[in-house]
Amino acid sequence: HDSNVGERYDGEWACDQKSGQGTFAYASGDVYVGQWAKDLKNGVGKMEWKKDGEWYNGEWLDGKPHGYGVHAWRAPWIKEDDPSAWFNTANKYEGEFQNGLRHGRGVFQYATGTRYDGEWKDNVKHGKGTYTFEDGSVFKGTFEKDRAVVEKGGAPFE
């Protein structure tokens, strides 16, 4: 079933709305394959933003990632000692989402090699977590609004 120009939906319908399993191909080339309810992504599905090399595979609620999922995207990386040498690598987050944002527990693997495993709130590190730097040093502790909280006299680094 064709929607707007260049868009196509192949799948199940109920009450003249996308409902059940289906595939939606956007005019941009992006594709969603998964479950629908009331014309919105609801249930489990995978969205691919092809031009950006980005994808999300997991649970959806009312058109937004909600529940457990994996979100990955390319990131340009430039060598500090040779700015002309760059390549695309990927950031990846696996964990809980709420209303389209990282929220709850999750692991973020940065393209640079650093990693955060811990609690999230409204898309930022917030709560208990472990941050592993590129050099292997580790910070274990509390994060507030994306920043590590270092207690006076504390030794959060391992």
Side-chain angles (χ1 to χ4, degrees), residues 11 14 45 57 104 121 123 156:
N57 191 9
K121 181 179 180 183
N123 236 25

Side-chain angles (χ1 to χ4, degrees), residues 5 18 23 30 46 56 58 60 65 75 90-91 110 115 134-135 139 144 151:
V5 175
K18 295 180 233 24
T23 299
D30 300 341
K46 182 174 184 179
Y56 171 80
W60 296 80
N91 288 307
Y110 295 85
R115 177 181 178 183
E134 291 174 59
D135 66 3
F139 172 86
E144 287 184 11
E151 305 289 331

Side-chain angles (χ1 to χ4, degrees), residues 54-56 64-73 91-110 116 118-126 146:
E54 180 179 357
W55 57 268
Y56 171 80
K64 296 178 182 178
H66 191 93
Y68 187 83
V70 179
H71 181 209
W73 62 99
N91 288 307
K92 179 181 170 186
Y93 171 80
E94 183 169 354
E96 296 174 293
F97 288 83
Q98 183 177 352
N99 203 26
L101 303 174
R102 293 184 292 272
H103 194 95
R105 182 139 186 87
V107 177
F108 195 119
Q109 182 71 46
Y110 295 85
Y116 174 75
E119 298 171 335
W120 295 82
K121 181 179 180 183
D122 298 329
N123 236 25
V124 296
K125 297 178 283 296
H126 195 87
D146 226 23

Side-chain angles (χ1 to χ4, degrees), residues 31-53:
V31 177
Y32 173 77
V33 178
Q35 298 172 323
W36 297 82
K38 299 179 184 172
D39 245 6
L40 295 171
K41 299 173 194 93
N42 275 290
V44 177
K46 182 174 184 179
M47 177 72 198
E48 290 184 75
W49 296 271
K50 303 235 178 202
K51 180 180 164 197
D52 300 328

